[in-house]
Amino acid sequence: MSTNHTPHPRTVDAPAGSWHLEPADSTVEFTGRHFFFLPVRGSLPVRSGRAEIAADGTLAGLDATVGVAGFESGNPQRDTAVRGPRFLDAERHPELRFTGERLTTGPGVTGLLEVKGRRTPVTFTVDELTTDGERATVRATARVDRHACGVGAMRGLVGAELLVRVKAVFVRRP
């Protein structure tokens, strides 16, 4: 079993075809700022996803979702507020979604992040990619402006920028 480690891939050393995200092995974590200097960390559960690898090794398409109702920061009061209508509005918008096509034009993966029905361009920097032909693990980071995504509550207390860290494990499907 050979492993390919590429810090900033333009192409993927993996067989062409459909790859499905393994939610149990994948994570989405974030760090934000409360009062603009106190770090707040948390996570969202990965629900589903798929990637399409073209014959030339480029990433031809990507679609991934996370569940808003599973938002956790370790503070139940904060978690309830963030799931509520002033922030993510989990009742009306149960998922966050990232989609894109032809995503290898640089060291990152650029696509659209859909939050509460609003689509915002976001670029993830691919920090690590390992493959063995049947399983691929991608670690990536992005800086996301929550205000641009339509999450503007508590502007005076909560910073606008979130650092998002993703570990996505994909399995090849025939």
Side-chain angles (χ1 to χ4, degrees), residues 35-120:
F35 295 117
F36 293 102
F37 61 92
L38 297 174
V40 174
R41 292 175 179 79
S43 64
L44 291 156
V46 176
R47 281 199 169 166
S48 64
R50 65 166 185 76
E52 294 293 327
I53 307 296
D56 65 359
T58 58
L59 181 59
L62 178 67
D63 187 352
T65 60
V66 297
V68 175
F71 175 93
E72 290 186 356
S73 70
N75 179 322
Q77 186 176 0
R78 177 188 307 128
D79 296 349
T80 298
V82 171
R83 290 181 202 125
R86 291 187 63 210
F87 285 91
L88 295 176
D89 198 1
E91 189 172 313
R92 291 182 51 213
H93 304 280
E95 295 179 336
L96 303 179
R97 184 174 184 183
F98 183 77
T99 58
E101 293 182 14
R102 303 298 297 176
L103 305 174
T104 59
T105 58
V109 176
T110 299
L112 295 174
L113 178 62
E114 185 174 335
V115 179
K116 295 171 53 171
R118 179 185 287 189
R119 299 171 106 201
T120 306

Side-chain angles (χ1 to χ4, degrees), residues 124-158:
F124 281 88
T125 299
V126 177
D127 302 313
E128 180 181 345
L129 168 64
T130 58
T131 64
D132 69 6
E134 298 301 316
R135 188 173 174 91
T137 301
V138 179
R139 294 180 188 274
T141 54
R143 298 208 176 268
V144 176
D145 181 341
R146 71 182 185 93
H147 298 159
C149 293
V151 183
M154 298 185 74
R155 287 179 185 256
L157 297 176
V158 180

Side-chain angles (χ1 to χ4, degrees), residues 13-32:
D13 185 18
S18 293
W19 291 75
H20 292 262
L21 192 62
E22 291 289 317
D25 295 332
S26 302
T27 58
V28 174
E29 299 174 332
F30 66 88
T31 302

